[in-house]
């Protein structure tokens, strides 16, 4: 791996940057790996990276059905924050946020983490109470989050309409200044490049068709579209398709998969300085470095793998966005799409063991997985390498649906998060 | 937006309906007789298939009645609507 630095960039410039090597190899699958990750999104590639870097496991493969980063890693709205209500979630997302802050340096890859601030709007008395409760809970957990008056919110985000006659009056806002955005594709590529350099095989166009089981029912290998691969440890990180993959191991999951939509506007000059979210009207918006307004909509109400979603969902979000920011009414939408998100009954992820020995799962990130990427990957790598969960992901078991010890962020957020 | 075929009212736009999730999950007759695992299975575990899905719909802004439907979760196309209590039309073929 040739590192990016001023001397290497200058040297590259001397021959019009034609001398840069491939960022990662395209290997044939080997017959045996110590660990196989199923799913080549940012969570899966990150898991492979931390397995190699922190746990010295390099005989690792990442199997990806399509191309890396082609699923939800490339379809999200790139928002990063850690202002979650419950201790378990706050700990998990803050673990991720601390890793985000130094990830560009660590990977020697500019993932464009931008701590531009995440502003969550309150439109009703209930919103005010709920968001203030989040602010206080976050402070107890050592997480930055502060309450802003409407005037302070507008000073932080000048495009915001705080007039008394607004359709959705702004009664205040919670601001997490360390929250922001990152370049989602760069996260995938940065992890892939570094994992590959440490010996991880990234195998694309390789779908898992079935699991072979050895003594005691333990995983002994995988049947794939590129042949049989023997292994004793498999980590499934397949997002919306987790139920499909796990069904091939004979397991049912507490998951439902829904299309979650997003859209971008035409690119314009910098007009929007931060991330704004409004849970009550269900809209969130930021501006990418290319200049597009990046807008997140909701999920459809039915299980689907269509990666499209109903247009009335995006219409609903655009109505809310245009009420909050009337100046965006005349902008054109460039494109819209959906990612398939796997949603758990309590809206918290599952990171840990399964009833099948040797089979681990990291799923259920629902509508909010991007922000967790480095933390999710690091604790899942710990779980795979040691066979036991990291303290941060210990509460996020599959077994909690049997014990009843849910982490009910659904009730805390009352909305996609 | 889907066009949903209500067995009582005919085809209507999706915004008239509420999707009630996976169909044919019978509530155990005596929940207290179940162990935790079976109760969790009933409450939380779902088929979530990529393919034909039997699901409940409520015509909330119409006749107000529940019914079941079969829909392909890749194309989102409905293949059947049927009333509550009826057997799944593709019964015996749903092994995907």
């Amino acid at each position: 791996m040739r590192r990016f630095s001023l001397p290497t960039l200058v040297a590259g410039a001397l021959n019009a940057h034609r001398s840069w090597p491939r960022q990662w190899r395209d290997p044939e699958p080997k017959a045996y790996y110590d660990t196989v990750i199923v799913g080549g999104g940012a969570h899966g590639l990150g898991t492979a990276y931390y397995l190699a870097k922190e746990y010295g496991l390099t005989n690792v493969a990442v199997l990806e059905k399509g191309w890396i980063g082609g699923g939800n890693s490339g379809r999200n709205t790139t928002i990063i924050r850690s202002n979650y209500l419950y201790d378990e979630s706050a700990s998990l997302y803050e673990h991720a946020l601390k890793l985000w802050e130094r990830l560009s340096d660590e990977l020697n890859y500019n993932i464009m983490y931008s701590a531009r601030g995440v502003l969550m709007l309150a439109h009703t008395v209930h919103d005010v109470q709920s968001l203030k409760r989040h602010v206080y809970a976050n402070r107890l957990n050592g997480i930055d989050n502060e309450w802003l008056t409407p005037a302070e919110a507008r000073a932080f985000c000048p495009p915001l309409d705080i007039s008394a006659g607004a359709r959705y009056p702004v009664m205040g806002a919670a601001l997490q200044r360390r929250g922001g955005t990152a370049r989602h594709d760069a996260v995938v590529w940065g992890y892939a490049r570094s994992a590959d350099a440490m010996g991880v095989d990234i195998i694309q166009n390789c779908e898992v068709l079935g699991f072979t089981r050895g003594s005691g029912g333990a995983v002994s290998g995988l049947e794939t579209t590129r042949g049989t691969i023997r292994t004793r440890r498999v980590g499934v990180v397949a997002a919306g398709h987790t139920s499909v993959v796990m069904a091939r191991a004979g397991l049912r999951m507490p998951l439902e998969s829904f299309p979650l939509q997003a859209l971008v506007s035409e690119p314009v000059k910098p007009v929007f300085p931060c991330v704004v979210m409004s849970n009550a009207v269900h809209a969130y918006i930021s501006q990418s470095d290319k200049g597009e307004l990046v807008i997140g909509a909701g999920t459809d109400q039915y299980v689907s793998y269509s990666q499209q979603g109903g247009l009335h969902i995006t219409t609903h979000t655009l109505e809310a966005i245009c009420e909050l920011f009337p100046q965006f009414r005349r902008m054109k939408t460039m494109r819209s799409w959906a990612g398939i998100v796997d949603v758990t009954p309590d809206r918290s992820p599952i990171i840990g063991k399964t009833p099948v020995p040797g089979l681990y799962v990291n799923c259920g990130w629902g509508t909010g997985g991007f922000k967790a990427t480095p933390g999710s990957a690091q604790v899942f790598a710990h779980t795979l390498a040691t066979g036991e969960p990291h303290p941060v992901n210990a509460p996020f078991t599959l077994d909690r649906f049997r014990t009843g010890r849910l982490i009910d962020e659904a009730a805390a957020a009352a909305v996609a998060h | 937006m889907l066009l949903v075929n209500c067995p009582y009212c005919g085809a209507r736009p999706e915004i008239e309906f509420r999707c009630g999730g996976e169909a044919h999950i019978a509530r155990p007759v005596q929940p207290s007789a179940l162990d935790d695992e079976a109760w969790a299975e009933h409450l939380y575990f779902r088929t979530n298939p990529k393919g034909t899905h039997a699901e409940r719909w409520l015509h909330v802004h119409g006749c107000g009645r529940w019914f079941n439907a079969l829909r392909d979760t890749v194309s989102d196309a409905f293949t059947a609507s049927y009333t509550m209590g009826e057997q799944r039309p593709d019964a015996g073929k749903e092994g995907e």
Side-chain angles (χ1 to χ4, degrees):
Chain A
M1 181 176 98
R2 196 194 305 171
R3 288 180 61 82
F4 296 118
S5 66
L6 186 58
T8 58
L9 286 174
V10 170
L14 295 177
N15 61 7
H17 291 290
R18 289 200 188 90
S19 64
W20 290 96
R22 284 183 71 108
Q23 298 286 288
W24 50 84
R25 296 164 295 126
D26 183 22
E28 285 300 312
K30 291 191 277 189
Y32 172 82
Y33 290 97
D34 292 331
T35 305
V36 174
I37 308 294
V38 180
H43 287 238
L45 291 163
T47 303
Y49 167 79
Y50 291 111
L51 277 174
K53 170 136 187 297
E54 297 187 2
Y55 301 95
L57 294 171
T58 54
N59 187 23
V60 173
V62 178
L63 309 185
E64 166 54 47
K65 183 176 69 168
W67 63 94
I68 61 169
N72 294 350
S73 296
R75 292 165 185 270
N76 61 79
T77 51
T78 78
I79 296 171
I80 295 168
R81 61 187 179 87
S82 65
N83 52 354
Y84 278 68
L85 182 65
Y86 292 121
D87 294 349
E88 297 89 343
S89 320
S91 166
L92 176 60
Y93 291 100
E94 180 64 13
H95 183 60
L97 185 47
K98 288 204 168 81
L99 292 170
W100 278 120
E101 286 171 331
R102 56 183 170 84
L103 196 58
S104 288
D105 277 345
E106 181 173 344
L107 297 177
N108 179 238
Y109 204 93
N110 187 5
I111 57 128
M112 297 164 74
Y113 166 62
S114 161
R116 59 183 66 182
V118 172
L119 193 66
M120 302 180 86
L121 303 179
H123 303 293
T124 65
V125 172
H126 174 79
D127 282 352
V128 172
Q129 292 168 341
S130 167
L131 286 178
K132 281 187 173 174
R133 184 184 174 208
H134 277 73
V135 168
Y136 301 139
N138 290 156
R139 285 190 180 176
L140 288 173
N141 278 317
I143 293 169
D144 76 304
N145 198 0
E146 60 196 272
W147 180 253
L148 303 187
T149 64
E152 288 169 337
R154 188 167 196 282
F156 189 76
C157 181
L160 189 62
D161 179 8
I162 59 165
S163 61
R167 170 68 183 83
Y168 303 115
V170 175
M171 299 178 71
L175 171 64
Q176 183 174 30
R177 292 184 191 271
R178 291 158 65 233
T181 58
R183 172 91 163 94
H184 51 4
D185 294 327
V187 179
V188 172
W189 300 331
Y191 274 132
R193 170 173 169 265
S194 289
D196 176 86
M198 290 185 286
V200 170
D201 282 357
I202 298 167
I203 300 163
Q204 303 182 81
N205 301 308
C206 181
E207 180 178 358
V208 171
L209 303 172
F211 293 74
T212 56
R213 311 277 277 270
S215 62
V219 168
S220 62
L222 294 166
E223 300 292 343
T224 78
T225 50
R226 296 182 65 173
T228 302
I229 297 172
R230 285 185 299 110
T231 185
R232 287 193 296 274
R233 196 162 40 203
V234 175
V236 174
V237 200
H241 280 72
T242 301
S243 292
V244 176
V245 176
M246 297 303 268
R248 291 170 187 171
L251 290 179
R252 278 164 65 83
M253 296 296 290
L255 293 171
E256 289 188 299
S257 296
F258 302 102
L260 175 68
Q261 293 186 74
L263 55 142
V264 291
S265 74
E266 58 190 323
V268 290
K269 287 185 176 180
V271 289
F272 204 77
C274 61
V275 179
V276 168
M277 306 181 65
S278 171
N279 285 352
V281 298
H282 204 285
Y284 38 106
I285 180 169
S286 64
Q287 187 174 20
S288 74
D289 291 305
K290 281 190 289 184
E292 303 155 328
L293 295 175
V294 182
I295 295 169
T299 57
D300 283 292
Q301 58 172 330
Y302 46 83
V303 167
S304 177
Y305 291 82
S306 69
Q307 290 190 328
Q308 290 191 74
L311 284 175
H312 62 292
I313 305 285
T314 42
T315 305
H316 175 73
T317 291
L318 285 174
E319 285 171 359
I321 291 290
C322 291
E323 292 286 0
L324 291 169
F325 306 102
Q327 63 273 44
F328 295 154
R329 279 177 172 237
R330 284 178 293 166
M331 289 182 70
K332 290 175 183 146
T333 300
M334 290 269 284
R335 54 187 185 276
S336 69
W337 63 89
I340 303 305
V341 299
D342 44 326
V343 176
T344 58
D346 62 0
R347 303 298 189 269
S348 289
I350 300 164
I351 317 163
K353 300 176 188 179
T354 71
V356 176
L359 179 59
Y360 298 78
V361 71
N362 182 353
C363 65
W365 290 96
T367 58
F370 177 73
K371 67 175 83 67
T373 302
S376 155
Q378 200 269 335
V379 299
F380 194 48
H382 178 99
T383 308
L384 284 166
T386 66
E388 292 300 325
H390 187 282
V392 167
N393 68 313
F396 294 89
T397 60
L398 177 59
D399 198 43
R400 74 179 185 269
F401 298 97
R402 183 184 63 79
T403 63
R405 195 163 180 81
L406 305 184
I407 303 161
D408 203 354
E409 288 292 340
V415 68
H417 59 92
Chain B
M1 186 182 304
L2 303 180
L3 201 56
V4 185
N5 193 28
C6 171
Y8 307 100
C9 309
R12 298 291 182 89
E14 180 199 334
I15 48 170
E16 293 187 13
F17 297 85
R18 182 77 49 81
C19 185
E22 186 170 346
H24 306 297
I25 299 174
R27 185 181 170 82
V29 177
Q30 198 180 357
S32 58
L34 301 182
D35 61 14
D36 290 349
E37 200 156 346
W39 184 234
E41 170 68 29
H42 167 69
L43 286 181
Y44 300 126
F45 286 68
R46 297 293 178 263
T47 311
N48 197 24
K50 187 173 185 176
T52 304
H53 190 224
E55 59 198 11
R56 305 180 303 169
W57 288 83
L58 170 63
H59 196 181
V60 61
H61 300 299
C63 63
R65 289 205 260 191
W66 284 95
F67 59 93
N68 290 330
L70 296 183
R71 186 176 51 83
D72 184 293
T73 60
V74 179
S75 67
D76 289 336
F78 285 97
T79 51
S81 289
Y82 52 106
T83 58
M84 284 286 167
E86 269 186 77
Q87 204 188 23
R88 183 175 166 156
D90 65 346
K93 291 185 290 181
E94 71 268 28
E96 34 202 333

Short mmCIF file of all heavy atoms in Angstrom, two decimals, chain A residues 168-190:
data_model
loop_
_atom_site.label_atom_id
_atom_site.label_comp_id
_atom_site.label_asym_id
_atom_site.label_seq_id
_atom_site.Cartn_x
_atom_site.Cartn_y
_atom_site.Cartn_z
N TYR A 168 -44.24 24.76 10.83
CA TYR A 168 -43.69 23.97 11.93
C TYR A 168 -42.85 24.89 12.79
O TYR A 168 -41.63 25.03 12.57
CB TYR A 168 -42.85 22.80 11.40
CG TYR A 168 -43.62 21.89 10.47
CD1 TYR A 168 -43.28 21.78 9.13
CD2 TYR A 168 -44.71 21.16 10.94
CE1 TYR A 168 -43.98 20.95 8.27
CE2 TYR A 168 -45.43 20.34 10.08
CZ TYR A 168 -45.06 20.24 8.76
OH TYR A 168 -45.76 19.42 7.90
N PRO A 169 -43.46 25.60 13.75
CA PRO A 169 -42.71 26.57 14.54
C PRO A 169 -41.56 25.91 15.29
O PRO A 169 -41.69 24.80 15.80
CB PRO A 169 -43.77 27.11 15.53
CG PRO A 169 -44.85 26.09 15.54
CD PRO A 169 -44.85 25.46 14.20
N VAL A 170 -40.43 26.62 15.33
CA VAL A 170 -39.26 26.09 16.03
C VAL A 170 -39.26 26.61 17.45
O VAL A 170 -39.19 27.81 17.69
CB VAL A 170 -37.96 26.50 15.29
CG1 VAL A 170 -36.74 26.05 16.09
CG2 VAL A 170 -37.94 25.91 13.90
N MET A 171 -39.37 25.70 18.41
CA MET A 171 -39.43 26.10 19.82
C MET A 171 -38.09 25.92 20.52
O MET A 171 -37.97 26.13 21.73
CB MET A 171 -40.51 25.28 20.55
CG MET A 171 -41.90 25.50 19.97
SD MET A 171 -43.16 24.50 20.78
CE MET A 171 -43.26 25.31 22.37
N GLY A 172 -37.10 25.54 19.78
CA GLY A 172 -35.77 25.30 20.33
C GLY A 172 -35.13 24.15 19.58
O GLY A 172 -35.74 23.58 18.67
N ALA A 173 -33.91 23.82 19.97
CA ALA A 173 -33.22 22.74 19.29
C ALA A 173 -32.11 22.20 20.18
O ALA A 173 -31.58 22.91 21.02
CB ALA A 173 -32.62 23.23 17.96
N ALA A 174 -31.80 20.93 19.97
CA ALA A 174 -30.65 20.32 20.64
C ALA A 174 -29.52 20.26 19.62
O ALA A 174 -29.73 19.88 18.46
CB ALA A 174 -30.99 18.92 21.13
N LEU A 175 -28.33 20.64 20.06
CA LEU A 175 -27.18 20.68 19.15
C LEU A 175 -26.06 19.80 19.68
O LEU A 175 -25.57 19.99 20.80
CB LEU A 175 -26.68 22.12 19.02
CG LEU A 175 -25.35 22.29 18.27
CD1 LEU A 175 -25.47 21.85 16.83
CD2 LEU A 175 -24.88 23.74 18.34
N GLN A 176 -25.65 18.84 18.87
CA GLN A 176 -24.41 18.10 19.16
C GLN A 176 -23.34 18.62 18.20
O GLN A 176 -23.38 18.31 17.00
CB GLN A 176 -24.58 16.58 19.02
CG GLN A 176 -23.28 15.87 19.40
CD GLN A 176 -23.35 14.37 19.44
OE1 GLN A 176 -24.12 13.75 18.71
NE2 GLN A 176 -22.53 13.76 20.30
N ARG A 177 -22.40 19.42 18.74
CA ARG A 177 -21.42 20.07 17.87
C ARG A 177 -20.45 19.08 17.24
O ARG A 177 -19.95 19.31 16.15
CB ARG A 177 -20.63 21.12 18.67
CG ARG A 177 -21.48 22.31 19.07
CD ARG A 177 -20.66 23.38 19.77
NE ARG A 177 -21.53 24.38 20.36
CZ ARG A 177 -21.97 25.47 19.72
NH1 ARG A 177 -21.61 25.70 18.48
NH2 ARG A 177 -22.78 26.31 20.33
N ARG A 178 -20.15 17.97 17.93
CA ARG A 178 -19.22 16.99 17.36
C ARG A 178 -19.88 16.13 16.30
O ARG A 178 -19.20 15.37 15.60
CB ARG A 178 -18.65 16.09 18.46
CG ARG A 178 -17.70 16.82 19.40
CD ARG A 178 -17.60 16.09 20.73
NE ARG A 178 -17.00 14.79 20.60
CZ ARG A 178 -17.57 13.66 21.06
NH1 ARG A 178 -18.75 13.69 21.64
NH2 ARG A 178 -16.96 12.52 20.94
N GLY A 179 -21.20 16.20 16.20
CA GLY A 179 -21.89 15.46 15.14
C GLY A 179 -21.60 16.09 13.80
O GLY A 179 -21.12 17.21 13.71
N GLY A 180 -21.93 15.39 12.73
CA GLY A 180 -21.68 15.95 11.41
C GLY A 180 -21.88 14.91 10.33
O GLY A 180 -22.82 14.12 10.38
N THR A 181 -20.96 14.92 9.36
CA THR A 181 -21.07 14.00 8.23
C THR A 181 -19.68 13.46 7.89
O THR A 181 -18.68 13.96 8.36
CB THR A 181 -21.62 14.72 6.97
OG1 THR A 181 -20.74 15.81 6.66
CG2 THR A 181 -23.02 15.26 7.21
N ALA A 182 -19.66 12.43 7.07
CA ALA A 182 -18.41 11.93 6.48
C ALA A 182 -18.75 11.42 5.09
O ALA A 182 -19.92 11.23 4.75
CB ALA A 182 -17.80 10.81 7.32
N ARG A 183 -17.71 11.21 4.30
CA ARG A 183 -17.91 10.74 2.93
C ARG A 183 -18.07 9.22 2.97
O ARG A 183 -17.11 8.49 3.22
CB ARG A 183 -16.68 11.13 2.10
CG ARG A 183 -16.65 10.56 0.72
CD ARG A 183 -17.30 11.48 -0.28
NE ARG A 183 -16.91 11.08 -1.63
CZ ARG A 183 -17.64 10.26 -2.39
NH1 ARG A 183 -18.77 9.78 -1.94
NH2 ARG A 183 -17.23 9.95 -3.59
N HIS A 184 -19.32 8.76 2.70
CA HIS A 184 -19.59 7.34 2.92
C HIS A 184 -18.76 6.40 2.06
O HIS A 184 -18.24 5.41 2.54
CB HIS A 184 -21.09 7.04 2.78
CG HIS A 184 -21.72 7.55 1.52
ND1 HIS A 184 -21.01 8.16 0.51
CD2 HIS A 184 -23.01 7.55 1.10
CE1 HIS A 184 -21.85 8.50 -0.46
NE2 HIS A 184 -23.06 8.15 -0.13
N ASP A 185 -18.59 6.73 0.77
CA ASP A 185 -17.80 5.85 -0.10
C ASP A 185 -16.35 5.78 0.37
O ASP A 185 -15.72 4.72 0.31
CB ASP A 185 -17.84 6.35 -1.55
CG ASP A 185 -19.23 6.25 -2.14
OD1 ASP A 185 -19.97 5.32 -1.77
OD2 ASP A 185 -19.59 7.11 -2.97
N ALA A 186 -15.83 6.91 0.83
CA ALA A 186 -14.43 6.94 1.27
C ALA A 186 -14.23 6.02 2.47
O ALA A 186 -13.15 5.45 2.64
CB ALA A 186 -14.01 8.36 1.60
N VAL A 187 -15.25 5.90 3.31
CA VAL A 187 -15.14 5.02 4.47
C VAL A 187 -14.97 3.57 3.99
O VAL A 187 -14.11 2.83 4.47
CB VAL A 187 -16.38 5.15 5.37
CG1 VAL A 187 -16.27 4.21 6.56
CG2 VAL A 187 -16.53 6.60 5.85
N VAL A 188 -15.79 3.20 3.01
CA VAL A 188 -15.69 1.85 2.43
C VAL A 188 -14.31 1.64 1.82
O VAL A 188 -13.63 0.64 2.10
CB VAL A 188 -16.78 1.66 1.35
CG1 VAL A 188 -16.58 0.36 0.59
CG2 VAL A 188 -18.16 1.73 1.97
N TRP A 189 -13.90 2.58 0.99
CA TRP A 189 -12.63 2.42 0.27
C TRP A 189 -11.44 2.47 1.23
O TRP A 189 -10.47 1.73 1.06
CB TRP A 189 -12.50 3.52 -0.80
CG TRP A 189 -13.61 3.46 -1.81
CD1 TRP A 189 -14.31 2.36 -2.20
CD2 TRP A 189 -14.15 4.57 -2.55
NE1 TRP A 189 -15.26 2.71 -3.14
CE2 TRP A 189 -15.18 4.06 -3.38
CE3 TRP A 189 -13.87 5.93 -2.60
CZ2 TRP A 189 -15.93 4.87 -4.24
CZ3 TRP A 189 -14.61 6.74 -3.47
CH2 TRP A 189 -15.63 6.21 -4.28
N GLY A 190 -11.51 3.33 2.21
CA GLY A 190 -10.40 3.44 3.17
C GLY A 190 -10.22 2.15 3.96
O GLY A 190 -9.09 1.67 4.13
#
